[in-house]
Amino acid sequence: MKTTFLCIAFVVFTIMGCSKPEAVLFKDNSTAIKADKSSWTATADSETPDGWENTGKASALLDGNNATYWHTDYSVSPTPGYPHWVLIDMKADQYMVSVAVTNRQAATPNRVGMKKFKLEGSRDGQAFTSLGEFNFAITNAAQTYPLSPSEGWRYLKLTALESQTGTTAHTFLSEIDVFTTK
């Protein structure tokens, strides 16, 4: 009798345990969000003059449009060579988890832009701290580079150190996005 009761209890418990919802909902517990760059500004060591590119200005890195891009000036001779830099004023300290950099878009990914670059952070736009050196692949996709969010930085500086070909003097980028801690 005791065994029968235990068997019946086991069956009832098993049947009740199987009546679970079909969908399982997960709460987003990620620790990073894409920073709002709508009020940010960008300057560069070199920009393409009006009329030479669809924008060519450093501000194109912040417009959220992969069809526009920053391009260093190649209208003068000799063309200014590497290194090239762009400085982003994020208007307030950002605790960056990563930075995503997108190449100028083309039917086949551009093969003459930067190959190696460094990222630096600053609180005042004058004194910079290295956040690392990175390689840049030949692709149209955004490339994400991890950073330590242990310190907040108001300014982000990307310096293109060398070209993919080793002979090209100019560089270009479509977008720079920053991911911060929540």
Side-chain angles (χ1 to χ4, degrees), residues 25-171:
L25 302 176
F26 293 96
K27 183 178 174 186
D28 179 10
N29 289 323
S30 62
T31 59
I33 58 171
K34 189 175 185 179
D36 176 9
K37 57 186 184 177
S38 60
S39 66
W40 298 0
T41 57
T43 56
D45 70 311
S46 175
E47 296 178 320
T48 303
D50 291 338
W52 280 74
E53 296 287 338
N54 67 355
T55 61
K57 307 300 181 200
S59 60
L61 296 170
L62 305 174
D63 66 4
N65 181 354
N66 280 344
T68 61
Y69 49 88
W70 162 62
H71 198 299
T72 57
D73 190 3
Y74 60 95
S75 69
V76 295
S77 185
T79 301
Y82 282 80
H84 292 292
W85 57 264
V86 62
L87 179 64
I88 299 171
D89 181 352
M90 299 181 285
K91 305 300 183 186
D93 285 357
Q94 303 291 328
Y95 291 84
M96 297 180 283
V97 174
S98 64
V99 172
V101 182
T102 307
N103 199 6
R104 175 183 171 179
Q105 303 295 286
T108 59
N110 281 294
R111 300 182 164 282
V112 295
M114 70 179 185
K115 178 179 182 177
K116 187 175 184 179
F117 69 97
K118 68 179 176 180
L119 293 173
E120 297 172 289
S122 174
R123 288 193 179 85
D124 62 5
Q126 302 296 316
F128 289 88
T129 298
S130 176
L131 303 177
E133 286 192 13
F134 306 92
N135 292 318
F136 195 66
I138 300 171
T139 180
N140 281 337
Q143 299 172 58
T144 303
Y145 304 91
L147 301 175
S148 170
S150 62
E151 291 189 60
W153 305 104
R154 175 177 170 168
Y155 296 89
L156 175 66
K157 185 176 186 180
L158 180 148
T159 303
L161 300 172
E162 63 184 72
S163 73
Q164 290 284 347
T165 65
T167 59
T168 307
H170 65 271
T171 195

